[in-house]
Amino acid sequence: MFHTIWHPTRHGGLSKLMMTGMWRLSSRLSTRWRASGLAGPLGMVCVVSVWALTVAVGWALVYWPHMPENFSYSAGLVPAEHAGPMDALYVSLVTLATLGLGDIAPATGWLRVVGPLEALVGFALLSATVAWILGIYPALARRRTLALRLSYLHGGVTSQALDSEGGAALLDSLASAVSVITVDFLQYAESYYFYDGDENTSLPRQIGHAAGLAEQAASARHPGVRLSAALLRRALDDLAAILDERFLHTGAATAGVFASYASDHGDRVGSPPDLRRGPGTSSPGGEERRP
């Protein structure tokens, strides 16, 4: 919990294990199930559920050895009949959820302190979970926005238009957006396990167009465009390094990492696109090229 929520540059072991397991399970199921994008949301539900369950069980193991002697019971409950492990788990869950039913409550000094501490942990868990969710979904929106923007640019930017002040500004903005996505993968690693079904909003499918723009602008006559292209290439290299270090582990160069990234998300990628042609036009060999 600490590494996932409060120290997000490190990937929490439990959340990584469960999210990776759910992602691999989705890849073995039908394509339709994976395209629905359930792996990420269900993985998060499982992670939060396991967090809450382990906290509740941990506190129940503290309560159980001291039941029923150190607990008070409401009228109608026989203490000897309500001193088992399920009763301890019940007390723990009630305290963790801050319900405060009071039918079974700690009666001795130190146990009366432990109860409110568990309630504070439960409140912190709820607040941190909400903050975690509210952080991941904006990161997904930024990733999909960049992919959609790249889909707009694909086939619509000529070499002449790119070799200008406007082209330099475009490359700078793309480099900035790619850098933001890199930080998102560092701070919200769980966002990797969300599948983008639509190809226009799928960054694994569209990121190659950014690499194509950088390659095309590298030979521009405008010095500002060449500088901006170098910045974009560096941003793409950093993104590929994070993807490979945290998720893919291929050891390949940037192009190979992006190909593995697309393959891991169920997309097929080929050679870098020819940005001078529009979507669906033919290559010199007569084969139809698609975005």
Side-chain angles (χ1 to χ4, degrees), residues 42-82:
L42 286 180
M44 291 184 65
V45 170
C46 292
V47 169
V48 174
S49 299
V50 171
W51 281 347
L53 181 61
T54 52
V55 170
V57 170
W59 249 271
L61 293 176
V62 175
Y63 298 142
W64 184 24
H66 304 280
M67 297 179 71
E69 295 83 2
N70 297 317
F71 283 76
S72 61
Y73 292 79
S74 62
L77 292 179
V78 179
E81 297 178 355
H82 295 278

Side-chain angles (χ1 to χ4, degrees), residues 150-288:
L150 290 172
S151 72
Y152 293 155
L153 293 172
H154 176 52
V157 181
T158 64
S159 298
Q160 183 179 0
L162 193 60
D163 196 357
S164 63
E165 291 288 345
L170 171 64
L171 295 174
D172 285 338
S173 65
L174 288 178
S176 177
V178 171
S179 299
V180 171
I181 301 304
T182 301
V183 174
D184 284 340
F185 278 125
L186 281 171
Q187 294 191 341
Y188 304 106
E190 291 76 18
S191 65
Y192 176 88
Y193 304 104
F194 282 74
Y195 182 75
D196 301 315
D198 182 72
E199 68 176 61
N200 290 328
T201 58
S202 175
L203 186 63
R205 188 174 182 86
Q206 302 295 335
I207 193 63
H209 303 329
L213 282 171
E215 181 181 354
Q216 181 180 355
S219 58
R221 291 176 296 177
H222 196 293
V225 174
R226 294 197 301 271
L227 176 60
S228 298
L231 291 176
L232 178 55
R233 285 198 305 272
R234 179 62 183 272
L236 291 169
D237 289 342
D238 288 344
L239 175 60
I242 293 302
L243 289 173
D244 199 44
E245 176 186 350
R246 293 215 164 192
F247 311 106
L248 299 171
H249 312 293
T250 64
T254 298
V257 171
F258 287 155
S260 297
Y261 179 35
S263 177
D264 197 32
H265 281 251
D267 292 327
R268 294 180 180 179
V269 292
S271 58
D274 187 346
L275 298 177
R276 293 170 296 181
R277 297 184 175 90
T281 58
S282 298
S283 65
E287 181 182 356
E288 185 183 23

